[in-house]
Amino acid sequence: MTYGVGILLEGGLVFASDSRTNAGVDQVSTFRKMTVWERPGERVLVMLTAGNLSLSQGVIHLLDNGMGERLHAAATMVEAARVVGEAVREVEMRDGEALRRHHTDFNLSLIFGGQIAGERPRLFNIYAAGNFIEASPETPYFQIGEIKYGKPILDRVITQGSSVAQATKCALISFDSTIRSNLSVGLPIDLACVERDQLRARRRSVGEDDAYFAGLRRHWSDGLRRVFSEMPDPG
Amino acid sequence: MTYGVGILLEGGLVFASDSRTNAGVDQVSTFRKMTVWERPGERVLVMLTAGNLSLSQGVIHLLDNGMGERLHAAATMVEAARVVGEAVREVEMRDGEALRRHHTDFNLSLIFGGQIAGERPRLFNIYAAGNFIEASPETPYFQIGEIKYGKPILDRVITQGSSVAQATKCALISFDSTIRSNLSVGLPIDLACVERDQLRARRRSVGEDDAYFAGLRRHWSDGLRRVFSEMPDPG
């Protein structure tokens, strides 16, 4: 299982994804689900993938090779999202029919976002059919994969006015809730923070030995229990 | 959609269920999903249902009528759970084939628990096939329906040593998280609290105008945001 979240803020973008892939509990591996294309000062593009890993890798391969030029020539983020959607469709043309013969769904969903010089940061959710929707002030984040456990904290905390640091903190707590409740979502967490107009991504891998994350989990857990115990019991 | 939770404690049991049924967004109704059978001083049995409402009502009808005597004669909670499982199987025998012709799953899951004089309180999760599992100290609660949004808080707070009041408070917060994230789970919440050896249920319906629940939601939301803002931002 996968969990990925992308958050659109007035001041930039935050992306986070776990790195566990599994095909049954006895076959658990670590694969990156975040891809970053960066031309510092010109554009930064980040993609998270969920679903069938072979399909995700097929899309990434196309975008790194055959369709790379078009991705880097796109004048706007919508144009870039369209290129990604076309890559999804090309993989479906190639693999879809064979998958159907093996009773396997074309299971793939993507979060794609970033900033191209001259535009504001933008964020998209791209579906298996290659179609997509864009994040708005009312819906400032997208999730893919195992989304439910980590959604309540995003709903309570995130607004477009949140800072990149606050949104990063919130994304990590959202991961903590998910990892606690679903064993198949696992560390390390890949993080990419994009400050508006800097046109580059600050990346970080958060693993078991990450002191900040360990402190955050403890702090959050203790804080929740404290708030819980301070509230009056029902009469 | 439905959300229901049953919690097994050393000191008793807590049950909570929402009361919204929907078959598409324009057809939303309120139906009770909690049934309580009480013989004060002798036994108290509580059942929550999720899934196809006609099937739930079929099971309840059987347990209230044809199989009622056996339910009330059961000497142990395991025996009572077996009677409920048989009722599920009888409904499947009656309706299952016709549902299949209409491409409708036999979709039903139950939480069933309570106490019979001479035994400790016990809690079961009964599946569509009529088989069931029992809660244990390691797994002190069961959820049915839309379970994920409200699971993290249960995982963080509930132990078998929690009091009935604490578990009630936690169940209400779990509902708050679920209702915020899924429109099709709605108020009022039906609550049943069973204190060990009292052999009766204290029932309460928590609606929009419930002052305690309104205060709890505000308190919890403010508390979470406070804990969140107190935590250091990532460096």
Side-chain angles (χ1 to χ4, degrees):
Chain A
M1 199 69 189
T2 292
Y3 176 39
V5 60
I7 306 172
L8 176 68
L9 308 159
E10 278 154 22
L13 294 148
V14 172
F15 299 87
S17 64
D18 87 308
S19 47
R20 190 161 298 174
T21 298
N22 75 307
V25 279
D26 56 349
Q27 202 179 15
V28 176
S29 323
T30 297
F31 284 100
R32 298 308 185 191
K33 298 163 189 171
M34 175 184 286
T35 309
V36 179
W37 294 276
E38 223 174 354
R39 297 206 165 165
E42 198 250 295
R43 71 184 54 206
V44 54
L45 309 172
V46 182
M47 186 168 82
L48 309 181
T49 58
N52 184 311
L53 185 65
S54 75
L55 302 176
S56 307
Q57 292 188 347
V59 169
I60 294 166
H61 188 258
L62 268 177
L63 293 172
D64 273 337
N65 296 284
M67 299 174 81
E69 263 178 58
R70 287 181 55 207
L71 189 66
H72 291 293
T76 64
M77 283 299 300
V78 169
E79 221 178 291
R82 213 165 281 140
V83 174
V84 176
E86 282 178 39
V88 172
R89 285 171 188 163
E90 195 157 322
V91 172
E92 214 233 321
M93 296 262 282
R94 195 179 59 197
D95 292 349
E97 182 51 36
L99 287 174
R100 271 186 290 278
R101 284 200 307 271
H102 289 264
H103 308 290
T104 302
D105 282 339
F106 188 82
N107 173 18
L108 180 62
S109 69
L110 309 172
I111 292 174
F112 177 74
Q115 188 178 11
I116 294 176
E119 262 202 334
R120 62 181 170 79
R122 301 175 78 166
L123 181 69
F124 303 88
N125 192 356
I126 302 178
Y127 302 109
N131 56 329
F132 54 83
I133 57 172
E134 183 170 7
S136 65
E138 296 74 39
T139 311
Y141 67 85
F142 289 127
Q143 297 170 291
I144 51 176
E146 180 60 279
I147 68 174
K148 293 186 179 183
Y149 301 117
K151 188 169 187 291
I153 184 62
L154 296 170
D155 284 337
R156 286 184 201 269
V157 170
I158 294 292
T159 67
Q160 279 226 314
S162 304
S163 70
V164 167
Q166 285 170 330
T168 304
K169 190 165 75 171
C170 186
L172 288 173
I173 293 169
S174 176
F175 267 84
D176 180 39
S177 297
T178 308
I179 289 170
R180 274 172 197 268
S181 289
N182 185 334
L183 277 184
S184 74
V185 173
L187 296 178
I189 302 162
D190 286 324
L191 267 179
C193 302
V194 175
E195 295 277 355
R196 185 179 180 132
D197 298 333
Q198 296 208 352
L199 299 167
R200 59 188 178 78
R202 211 146 43 88
R203 302 182 67 174
R204 172 171 170 176
S205 174
V206 176
E208 290 292 354
D209 53 351
D210 188 285
Y212 174 75
F213 187 55
L216 194 73
R217 298 178 93 167
R218 203 173 43 241
H219 218 105
W220 182 245
S221 214
D222 294 349
L224 286 197
R225 288 209 197 87
R226 195 177 64 239
V227 173
F228 182 81
S229 65
E230 283 165 6
M231 293 191 300
D233 284 343
Chain B
M1 199 68 191
T2 291
Y3 176 40
V5 60
I7 306 173
L8 176 67
L9 308 158
E10 278 153 23
L13 293 148
V14 173
F15 299 88
S17 63
D18 87 309
S19 47
R20 189 161 298 175
T21 297
N22 75 305
V25 279
D26 55 349
Q27 202 178 15
V28 175
S29 322
T30 297
F31 284 101
R32 296 309 185 191
K33 297 164 190 170
M34 175 183 286
T35 310
V36 179
W37 295 276
E38 223 175 353
R39 297 207 166 164
E42 197 249 296
R43 70 184 55 206
V44 55
L45 309 173
V46 181
M47 187 169 80
L48 309 181
T49 57
N52 184 311
L53 185 65
S54 76
L55 302 176
S56 307
Q57 292 188 348
V59 169
I60 294 165
H61 188 259
L62 268 177
L63 292 172
D64 272 338
N65 297 285
M67 300 175 80
E69 263 178 59
R70 287 183 54 207
L71 189 66
H72 291 292
T76 64
M77 283 300 299
V78 168
E79 221 177 292
R82 212 166 282 142
V83 174
V84 176
E86 281 177 41
V88 172
R89 284 172 188 163
E90 194 157 325
V91 172
E92 214 233 322
M93 295 263 281
R94 194 179 60 198
D95 293 350
E97 181 52 37
L99 287 176
R100 271 185 291 276
R101 285 200 307 273
H102 289 264
H103 308 291
T104 302
D105 282 338
F106 188 82
N107 173 17
L108 180 62
S109 69
L110 310 172
I111 291 174
F112 177 73
Q115 188 177 11
I116 293 178
E119 262 203 332
R120 61 181 171 79
R122 301 176 77 166
L123 182 68
F124 303 88
N125 191 355
I126 302 178
Y127 302 109
N131 56 330
F132 53 83
I133 57 174
E134 182 170 7
S136 66
E138 296 75 38
T139 312
Y141 67 86
F142 289 128
Q143 298 170 292
I144 51 175
E146 179 61 278
I147 68 174
K148 293 187 178 182
Y149 301 116
K151 187 170 186 292
I153 185 63
L154 297 169
D155 285 336
R156 286 183 200 270
V157 170
I158 293 294
T159 67
Q160 279 225 315
S162 304
S163 70
V164 167
Q166 285 169 330
T168 304
K169 190 166 74 168
C170 186
L172 289 174
I173 293 170
S174 176
F175 267 84
D176 180 39
S177 297
T178 307
I179 289 170
R180 275 171 196 266
S181 290
N182 185 334
L183 278 183
S184 74
V185 173
L187 296 176
I189 301 162
D190 286 325
L191 266 178
C193 301
V194 175
E195 296 277 355
R196 183 177 181 133
D197 298 333
Q198 296 207 352
L199 298 166
R200 58 187 178 80
R202 212 146 43 88
R203 302 182 66 174
R204 172 171 171 178
S205 174
V206 176
E208 291 292 353
D209 53 351
D210 188 284
Y212 174 75
F213 186 55
L216 195 74
R217 300 178 91 166
R218 204 173 43 242
H219 218 106
W220 181 244
S221 212
D222 293 350
L224 286 197
R225 288 209 196 87
R226 195 177 64 239
V227 172
F228 182 81
S229 66
E230 282 165 7
M231 293 193 297
D233 285 343

